[in-house]
Amino acid sequence: MSALDAGNEQVIATYNFAYLDEQTKRMIRRALLKGIAVPGYQVPFASREMPMPYGWGTGGVQVTAAIIGPDDRLKVIDQGADDTTNAISIRKFFERTTGVETTTATAEASIIQTRHRIPETPLTAGQILVFQVPIPEPLRFLEPRETETRTMHALEEYGVMHVKLYEDIARHGHIATTYAYPVKVEGRYVTDPSPTPKFDNPKMHRNPALQLFGAGREMRIYAIPPWTEVVSLDFEDHPFEVQAFDRPCALCGAEDVFLDEVITDDRGGRMFVCSDTDHCNRRQAEGHAGEQAA
Amino acid sequence: MSMQDNDPPLMRVSNLTHMYGDRIGCRDVSFDLYPGEVLAVVGESGSGKTTLLNCVSGRQHCTAGTISYRMRDGRLQDLNALSEAERRFLMRTDWGFVHQNPADGLRMNVSAGANVGERLMAVGQRHYGRIRETADDWLGRVEISHDRIDDRPGTFSGGMRQRLQIARNLVTGPRLVFMDEPTGGLDVSVQARLLDLLRGLVDDLGLSAIVVTHDLAVARLLSQRMMVMKDGQVIETGLTDRVLDDPQAPYTQLLVSSILQV
């Protein structure tokens, strides 16, 4: 896991493998192990300055740096896409500091660092999904005191979480929270699944892959081990449901996927396409076509 | 107290002392509170009323002394022996705490309905329709109009906020309510209505209450028994009417005679 791959010329000689020094990686791995042992529990860790600003995924980058080895194959996505600025810059960062192979194909990756999406292609055992988390504390909206939220977690006082959902229904007639939708992990800790759309919440439930969450600015790490129960909070008369789209992807014709709205001109033209670019490209290569396929 | 002679006390406080370093918060306070009884604690600012209330309501650890509470199963439980989880559960189900400033007791950034419903959700209710129905019912009981259920407390007047705070506390059917100057900061006509409402609720629900106030009129209207405190100690205790009409201790005489007559 740790040795510098000296044979690879792409590695910058003055940096340790994966940028972080070995003691820091060790510290992060200890936090990760604790997080995996206590699913959904937020483990404090000594987040480092990374060569990018807080808010650009420093938590996820540190987690990835701590777990990546020379044999890994990395995929980085931002809102499901492999080709946006954040995804490209993080992918290049790891290409330069580790020399590992990168890929855009979900099925070929051993580590997938993500900002806000879980790929449409089902993950398999052995894969690791690393989330970049801005606000790890699901109770923060209603309780600003850290001492109090820790006590609430310790004593399982989660009634206030439903106050947020109640407020949603009172205001909008339905639970209007569409992202960062709170979940209960393994019947114990209420956890913020980072700002993933709630569309992806069911994918967290009993997922064969290991899910790791890193919040750099807030200095917290938490984890959902493989095959863990992840239940989205709801009311008996307002059950949890995911977003539904009234049309398929305009490029690949996929249904039951999360779509992005793309504005195509200034006269109201728009199209809805897969947010997961890898999934969309693969389907198009297989011959599926939507109504606006090129 | 006469009518409860046969009942065991709901709360028993003995030799309660709280020190702030070398300074005395309250010293050697003992009293029994019976089911259905309202006890007023009066005295001037700095006499230890609020310290006493915070100690007996579990919001503050006392330096010495014991506080026992009769749990719903009938046994007398030493509150210091409860775990934090049990104490917090007791505080949000069997007890209520009405703050002087409603903003301290309310969630100002969620609607009135959510404020009232919070305790229900905290004890595990998960049916939105029923929670809302109960909240609506309670808003009616504290005379808040039903169309304000989705408004935030920030849009309410001081008197409405105080009534909302009371509804929020009473929704789980507590047996004991602590009130810290519940009418402080309200003008006299609003005070009168609030007192009227509180008196009705206490009667209807058979609540016990400990009310801290510096306003002797509040004590007269609400309480059956009262304790007069000065410099952290109880200097006189007795039936409210007796203490106010025939004060024995010199300080109580001074206190009663300093009420302005209009």
Side-chain angles (χ1 to χ4, degrees), chain A residues 141-142 148 151-152 155 157 159-160 162-163 166-167 169-171 234-238, chain B residues 84-85 88 92 107 109-111 113-114 118 121-122 126-130 132 150 152:
Chain A
F141 167 76
L142 290 148
E148 184 65 15
T151 310
M152 290 161 85
L155 301 178
E157 284 184 9
V160 70
H162 276 84
V163 171
Y166 171 98
E167 197 62 5
I169 304 173
R171 209 158 285 274
D234 60 4
F235 285 102
E236 289 160 15
D237 48 345
H238 286 266
Chain B
E84 193 181 356
R88 285 170 71 114
R92 64 171 191 262
R107 287 194 189 277
N109 55 356
V110 299
S111 67
E118 178 176 346
M121 295 181 245
R126 293 288 178 268
H127 192 283
Y128 174 81
R130 283 201 285 276
R132 194 173 169 83
D150 291 331
R152 291 179 186 208

Side-chain angles (χ1 to χ4, degrees), chain A residues 211-251:
Chain A
Q211 300 172 78
L212 303 175
F213 299 77
R217 183 182 49 210
E218 302 289 323
M219 304 186 175
R220 293 290 184 276
I221 278 173
Y222 51 105
I224 299 177
W227 306 110
T228 302
E229 299 273 333
V230 179
V231 180
S232 303
L233 302 182
D234 60 4
F235 285 102
E236 289 160 15
D237 48 345
H238 286 266
F240 170 80
E241 49 193 29
V242 299
Q243 294 100 326
F245 298 90
D246 54 3
R247 64 189 84 185
C249 170
L251 294 180

Side-chain angles (χ1 to χ4, degrees), chain A residues 203-216:
Chain A
K203 294 183 194 161
M204 295 184 155
H205 179 62
R206 296 186 157 276
N207 195 312
L210 170 62
Q211 300 172 78
L212 303 175
F213 299 77

